[in-house]
Amino acid sequence: MVRWFPDAADAESPLKLEELQVLRGQYEKEGDFVGVQTKFNYAWGLIKSDARGEQQEGVRLLSEIYRNAPERRRECLYYLALGNFKLGNYAEARRYNDSLLSIEPANLQAASLRGLIDDKVAKEGMVGVAIVGGVAIAAGVIGSLIFKGARRR
């Protein structure tokens, strides 16, 4: 029997606006007495969003759950990793994801996310090297032009 596990790419498909509004409505309805599950559901919906501000709010809510509800930490780890990944906080994403993998080494979602994090870090590292290399070449060209100009005088 083949079992399907959603991978980290699932995060790239945001909820429909109506779906997120249902979660937001429930969260706001509960007000100061919002339940942990309601907060988690809303944070999950925000993490899936394409809007950076909503993603940040989702990470903030999940961080509150992580701090205040120790019994829910394990389930927060993946979405904290995912939210930080989407925000470009790769070190934080890796830290949360590695924590989850230390508890559940066979977690396919976390393994998939680890690959995405590693790919992004490697890609950004290559871009950084290319930028530094380009600046060095430009400095060398400018330096040689200045040197040639100084020698002609």
Side-chain angles (χ1 to χ4, degrees):
M1 172 185 195
V2 176
R3 292 180 63 183
W4 179 81
F5 293 93
D7 63 13
D10 177 56
E12 299 304 320
S13 56
L15 295 180
K16 294 177 184 158
L17 182 59
E18 306 81 42
E19 294 170 325
L20 186 56
Q21 286 175 336
V22 167
L23 296 174
R24 180 178 289 123
Q26 183 64 38
Y27 175 79
E28 290 172 351
K29 179 179 161 189
E30 293 183 24
D32 291 338
F33 303 102
V34 66
V36 174
Q37 188 62 50
T38 299
K39 186 184 276 191
F40 182 87
N41 293 346
Y42 182 46
W44 167 80
L46 291 169
I47 293 290
K48 289 179 64 75
S49 173
D50 288 331
R52 185 171 177 82
E54 290 181 344
Q55 294 166 358
Q56 290 170 326
E57 179 67 5
V59 167
R60 186 188 70 74
L61 292 173
L62 285 169
S63 295
E64 285 179 11
I65 296 169
Y66 186 83
R67 278 191 311 274
N68 300 327
E71 71 281 2
R72 303 296 291 265
R73 285 185 178 158
R74 187 203 57 76
E75 64 189 305
C76 287
L77 286 172
Y78 175 75
Y79 291 103
L80 281 166
L82 189 60
N84 277 289
F85 171 76
K86 289 182 76 173
L87 290 167
N89 303 330
Y90 303 125
E92 280 295 293
R94 180 176 278 148
R95 185 172 67 84
Y96 285 119
N97 201 56
D98 286 350
S99 292
L100 177 56
L101 285 168
S102 72
I103 299 166
E104 296 180 9
N107 186 310
L108 296 179
Q109 284 181 299
S112 172
L113 183 55
R114 174 188 269 166
L116 290 175
I117 294 168
D118 291 347
D119 289 348
K120 232 5 162 173
V121 168
K123 182 179 178 184
E124 288 196 3
M126 293 305 288
V127 168
V129 167
I131 290 171
V132 169
V135 169
I137 290 170
V141 169
I142 291 170
S144 70
L145 291 174
I146 291 171
F147 181 71
K148 283 183 182 179
R151 280 187 15 181
R152 288 187 182 167
R153 288 184 200 180

